[in-house]
Amino acid sequence: MEGGDLVTMQLAPSILSFDPANFLAPVQEVATSGLADWIHLDVMDGQFVPPITFGAELAKSLTSQISLPVEAHLMTLTPELHFEAFCQAGCRRIIFHVETTAHTHRLIQELKSYGTEVGVALNPATPLAMIEPIEEMLDILLIMTVNPGWGGQALIPACVQKVREARERWPGLPIEVDGGVDPATLPALRKAGANVFVVGSYLTRTPSIQEGLRQVREAGEVVT
Ligand code: DX5
Ligand code: ZN
């Protein structure tokens, strides 16, 4: 399991907010910074969420050019249609939304057969109870802290309590948070029990990506 040891904070920068016509340079900056643990690839299909973003070909190009592991966050209907392609593209972790299927258990089994790490994501309005039947099967739980679809949104405060409850229920499960993470919001999420942090648009508002990652790490390190 590569969701971390639950004490060490991991950063999974999202490339969603980088200029799509020119994002190899910023992605390389993330990869060579020594401050990130994963690249978070936001895959949107124009159906489950309105925007359309990246496909498996792009994932393949990224995994062939960068040293960090890539996780695909599938915000798509019928996510199983995309499993094989993203696994073959070299993604080391695939996360799909429980809201997109009536067959969460079967889809996790299918993903495991590809030998990839498996995570499921929960929208802000989706209860933690959805996870209970499949908790033993997960490598990571992704708790959305905004409604999926767009970078740059403000974190929904009630989601912090949801992270706390998830940590109480599953003391040994890596918990990732996604949406509105920055140095101001990270400490409360970390205190609540999250250990993997997606950070997106914040990195476009700092003097450099390196500096943004450093600030985010520093914000997490002051939390004991
Ligand atoms: C939202 C995506 C996030 C997003 C995070 O649907 O899943 O990964 O890129 O971006 P920020 O950090 O700007 O909220
Ligand atoms: Zn995401």
Side-chain angles (χ1 to χ4, degrees):
M1 186 184 293
E2 296 184 38
D5 56 17
L6 305 187
V7 177
T8 310
M9 173 174 70
Q10 291 198 345
L11 295 187
S14 162
I15 68 173
L16 183 65
S17 292
F18 298 152
D19 176 359
N22 180 29
F23 63 46
L24 190 57
V27 173
Q28 290 285 20
E29 199 178 334
V30 170
T32 57
S33 68
L35 297 169
D37 302 280
W38 291 84
I39 293 287
H40 180 91
L41 187 66
D42 285 305
V43 178
M44 305 187 190
D45 67 348
Q47 297 290 320
F48 179 59
V49 292
I52 297 175
T53 57
F54 314 119
E57 285 303 312
L58 184 118
K60 190 173 171 185
S61 174
L62 280 182
T63 61
S64 69
Q65 295 184 68
I66 57 169
S67 50
L68 282 181
V70 172
E71 62 175 12
H73 174 196
L74 301 182
M75 286 163 274
T76 71
L77 298 181
T78 49
E80 64 272 30
L81 292 181
H82 308 290
F83 288 170
E84 190 176 1
F86 279 92
C87 289
Q88 282 181 355
C91 294
R92 293 259 293 276
R93 181 190 283 156
I94 309 283
I95 299 166
F96 69 91
H97 274 258
V98 298
E99 301 87 1
T100 63
T101 180
H103 301 288
T104 310
H105 189 284
R106 174 160 61 78
L107 266 49
I108 294 173
Q109 280 182 325
E110 186 184 333
L111 264 181
K112 281 182 180 287
S113 76
Y114 292 113
T116 184
E117 282 194 34
V118 181
V120 295
L122 297 182
N123 281 340
T126 305
L128 291 175
M130 296 289 285
I131 301 307
E132 275 162 15
I134 43 113
E135 61 188 54
E136 297 290 329
M137 304 171 82
L138 295 178
D139 293 302
I140 198 160
L141 169 63
L142 187 151
I143 296 182
M144 291 303 303
T145 40
V146 298
N147 286 301
W150 300 271
Q153 303 177 76
L155 177 135
I156 298 168
C159 296
V160 180
Q161 178 58 21
K162 190 175 183 182
V163 172
R164 194 171 295 120
E165 284 172 26
R167 175 54 66 225
E168 280 165 13
R169 281 195 205 195
W170 302 295
L173 180 65
I175 296 177
E176 181 168 14
V177 285
D178 186 5
V181 175
D182 63 24
T185 59
L186 188 144
L189 290 164
R190 185 150 156 70
K191 251 188 190 149
N195 67 301
V196 184
F197 300 84
V198 177
V199 54
S201 58
Y202 183 70
L203 300 178
T204 66
R205 299 196 295 272
T206 49
S208 69
I209 288 169
Q210 175 95 15
E211 173 62 12
L213 289 170
R214 199 193 58 70
Q215 289 175 12
V216 173
R217 276 214 171 269
E218 198 176 271
E221 270 148 22
V222 299
V223 180
T224 53

